[in-house]
Amino acid sequence: MHLSLILLIIGLVDFLLRDFIYTNPDNWSLRYLWEEIRNTFLVGSLLLAVILPLNLERLLYRHLSFLKRLPTYPSTATISNSVHIDTPIAGEQFELNMDKFLFAKVESNYTEIVCSNTNGFEKSLKRLTLKELEQQLNPFSFVFKTHRSYLVNLNSIESISGNAQGYMLHLKNYSESDIPVSRSTIQEFNSIYSHRDTH
């Protein structure tokens, strides 16, 4: 959409500059406006067909090269921490065992918290925002917001894969889905994951 808007603006500028290039008395006709916009989109599409694949290849190479520098072994640290979580609703406060915490994600007007247990994992919906949970887990340096909708325990990561769009995290004791790391947070993720405090 952004690229289309840029091409449209270029086409409009080309149309406005016709008087400086051509001496045609019909320069300001709708026919020439359409012609300039059409030609701009045709040429722009050919350029994008070359530039976009090259850019995707560049992003893929960059993300994979970052991944190679990250530790490839899963953390075996034991955390032994529990934290009291306040919610906006009186009487709905709860204790979150950081030994078991895997990740939290936005789920409509709730936050879904996923923890490991003896049977694999368990989910619970809590009436608080992801931001409120993030603020209360701020003392735990191994908890990181990988995406606007996800908060992850970095010590629960089993492996990481990458593509041109970012990283995908594969968690221990959880196989339903992978957790995304958005492109905007990759650099910070690389730094924190490489130097995280596991205690």
Side-chain angles (χ1 to χ4, degrees):
M1 188 175 67
H2 291 154
L3 294 173
S4 297
L5 183 60
I6 290 170
L7 290 175
L8 177 62
I9 292 171
I10 292 172
L12 291 172
V13 171
D14 287 344
F15 174 71
L16 295 174
L17 293 175
R18 284 187 66 87
D19 274 346
F20 297 102
I21 302 171
Y22 308 107
T23 55
N24 192 321
D26 292 333
N27 273 341
W28 293 96
S29 69
L30 288 175
R31 173 175 160 251
Y32 284 123
L33 171 63
W34 163 247
E35 186 178 286
E36 292 293 349
I37 292 174
R38 182 197 63 197
N39 291 344
T40 301
F41 269 86
L42 286 174
V43 174
S45 297
L46 290 174
L47 288 173
L48 292 177
V50 174
I51 292 171
L52 287 179
L54 290 175
N55 187 49
L56 285 174
E57 187 67 27
R58 178 186 65 84
L59 289 171
L60 181 60
Y61 175 79
R62 189 177 74 179
H63 292 163
L64 289 177
S65 65
F66 274 130
L67 273 178
K68 288 176 184 176
R69 293 185 218 138
L70 294 176
T72 55
Y73 53 86
S75 169
T76 56
T78 301
I79 302 164
S80 298
N81 285 307
S82 185
V83 61
H84 179 80
I85 303 295
D86 290 315
T87 70
I89 310 299
E92 291 193 5
Q93 296 79 10
F94 62 97
E95 295 292 322
L96 181 59
N97 186 340
M98 299 306 292
D99 273 331
K100 307 294 185 183
F101 175 66
L102 296 177
F103 71 95
K105 71 172 182 175
V106 173
E107 193 67 47
S108 188
N109 296 323
Y110 296 82
T111 292
E112 182 178 77
I113 298 175
V114 180
C115 296
S116 62
N117 65 16
T118 53
N119 298 319
F121 64 90
E122 61 182 349
K123 301 177 180 180
S124 57
L125 284 178
K126 302 297 182 181
R127 280 193 272 192
L128 78 165
T129 66
L130 193 68
K131 184 175 180 62
E132 289 168 340
L133 180 62
E134 180 185 15
Q135 289 170 345
Q136 295 183 66
L137 296 182
N138 191 52
F140 299 93
S141 60
F142 51 81
V143 176
F144 181 72
K145 190 173 185 180
T146 61
H147 184 279
R148 66 176 181 270
S149 300
Y150 287 88
L151 198 62
V152 177
N153 178 348
L154 299 181
N155 293 328
S156 69
I157 296 172
E158 186 168 56
S159 62
I160 307 171
S161 60
N163 57 36
Q165 299 304 313
Y167 293 167
M168 295 302 288
L169 307 179
H170 318 289
L171 305 185
K172 292 178 281 189
N173 302 317
Y174 186 77
S175 58
E176 276 198 0
S177 62
D178 296 328
I179 310 300
V181 180
S182 64
R183 281 165 53 178
S184 61
T185 62
I186 280 181
Q187 190 170 356
E188 186 182 1
F189 173 84
N190 288 337
S191 175
I192 292 176
Y193 185 72
S194 298
H195 304 95
R196 70 193 187 283
D197 177 7
T198 57
H199 300 286

